[in-house]
Amino acid sequence: MKLLRRKAITDRMKVKGPRGLYIDPLLSESQLGEVTIDLRLGTDFLVSVVTRRPSIDSAQRPEQSRGIASYFRSTRRELGDKFVLYPSQVVLGTTLEYVGLPDDVYADIISRSSFSRLGIHHNTMIQPGFRGCIPLELFNHGNNPIELVVGGRLVQARLMEMTSSSRYQSATENRKYFGNVRPVISKAQHDPDLDTLTKLRES
């Protein structure tokens, strides 16, 4: 396994097929660093809201409860607009860019250091062969609201090349988050092991 550097990244972007890297729109070549790619904040958001319910039941089936979607509200901003992220608030967003990863490369998505210093820490891993706008789970760990610019560079991707390919796309029917271009709420309530655990508890 190795970290892809700038030349390897640009070479992959010229390749077609499962070994190629697709990023659109890439608004500026300056987004490509020596070992990272800066990604921009997209225009759609799901904002967590306080309800009368005491908690979100992540184990209750959607047909048996309110469902996780009722704890979020959808909103949209235009490029260049401000989006305010309040302290201790969860907001689901995406990157502006639609990304197609090669089937032998995975991506670590982390906050750019400028925003880590403001209290926004983001760290997630994207599977090889992923297609879609990269999901962003935003949280403000600081004491003050932070105004983010929609379309601004918020996170960066580190690409890791594996020694063999992954068959991620062949299992899309079992993938919860694939090909999305807008934020998607947690699908924890759809985990297949919940039925097994419920039966164990009842037996």
Side-chain angles (χ1 to χ4, degrees):
M1 198 168 339
K2 67 178 181 180
L3 178 65
L4 292 184
R5 300 176 70 93
R6 182 186 176 99
K7 185 180 184 306
I9 292 171
T10 55
D11 287 346
R12 286 285 191 138
M13 293 176 69
K14 299 173 185 176
V15 175
K16 305 296 182 183
R19 291 299 179 99
L21 171 64
Y22 180 83
I23 304 175
D24 186 62
L26 190 67
L27 299 182
S28 170
E29 286 195 8
S30 65
Q31 288 178 239
L32 300 178
E34 183 55 33
V35 292
T36 60
I37 306 169
D38 288 344
L39 299 175
R40 301 174 182 274
L41 180 63
T43 58
D44 293 285
F45 303 91
L46 288 172
V47 180
S48 62
V49 294
V50 177
T51 72
R52 295 180 181 178
R53 304 282 292 186
S55 62
I56 298 175
D57 188 348
S58 64
Q60 194 80 352
R61 288 302 193 185
E63 63 273 12
Q64 300 171 326
S65 67
R66 291 186 54 174
I68 294 175
S70 64
Y71 295 88
F72 289 83
R73 295 292 180 267
S74 176
T75 186
R76 183 179 175 86
R77 301 289 188 276
E78 299 300 325
L79 290 178
D81 285 350
K82 298 287 183 65
F83 180 85
V84 180
L85 183 63
Y86 291 93
S88 302
Q89 183 182 47
V90 175
V91 172
L92 306 180
T94 67
T95 59
L96 180 66
E97 297 85 0
Y98 185 97
V99 176
L101 288 181
D103 60 7
D104 62 338
V105 171
Y106 73 85
D108 287 324
I109 310 298
I110 59 176
S111 303
R112 293 181 61 227
S113 61
S114 295
F115 291 97
S116 293
R117 296 167 198 230
L118 295 177
I120 299 175
H121 299 281
H122 185 278
N123 189 0
T124 192
M125 192 271 278
I126 304 299
Q127 299 277 359
F130 172 87
R131 299 288 185 271
C133 293
I134 301 291
L136 302 177
E137 298 87 20
L138 304 177
F139 187 83
N140 182 354
H141 294 269
N143 298 318
N144 301 298
I146 301 171
E147 293 187 358
L148 302 175
V149 179
V150 176
R153 305 181 196 191
L154 181 63
V155 297
Q156 54 189 343
R158 295 183 302 201
L159 304 181
M160 302 294 297
E161 183 181 71
M162 305 187 304
T163 55
S164 60
S165 298
S166 167
R167 300 297 296 170
Y168 184 91
Q169 292 188 71
S170 66
T172 54
E173 66 276 9
N174 297 320
R175 298 292 176 182
K176 297 178 184 177
Y177 315 103
F178 186 86
N180 298 303
V181 296
R182 291 184 175 85
V184 177
I185 61 166
S186 168
K187 295 185 179 180
Q189 293 175 320
H190 298 276
D191 282 353
D193 58 341
L194 292 179
D195 287 335
T196 302
L197 294 170
T198 299
K199 291 176 182 177
L200 286 172
R201 183 184 63 190
E202 293 174 349
S203 63

